[in-house]
Amino acid sequence: MDYSRVQQENCIACGLCQLKAPHLFDYDAEGIAYFKPDHNQSVTPIPDSERTAFKAAYQQCPTHAIQHQKGPFQICNTNKNA
Ligand code: SF4
């Protein structure tokens, strides 16, 4: 299974990924993108029905902020209350 997340420090809030894959990407209050199905926590795989849309967003992100890999990403959560 393929998982995704947005490396948010590299996102320039251009809006392209949400246009290409509106079911997969959304923006926080500052316009920075996140992977919508799991709020960028890398616990939900990319649905098969969204693969084409994901590919378009992934390939066209101008800063390569969108990541994907076969398994979940290791997310460092510094919020102890989460
Ligand atoms: S396409 Fe890339 S740079 Fe643009 S909003 Fe999405 S993640 Fe950020």
Side-chain angles (χ1 to χ4, degrees), residues 34-61:
Y34 61 89
F35 186 67
K36 190 173 174 181
D38 57 18
H39 294 269
N40 226 38
Q41 294 304 300
S42 186
V43 294
T44 304
I46 301 165
D48 286 343
S49 60
E50 294 292 331
R51 284 186 172 279
T52 301
F54 174 80
K55 189 174 179 182
Y58 173 78
Q59 290 181 333
Q60 295 177 47
C61 173

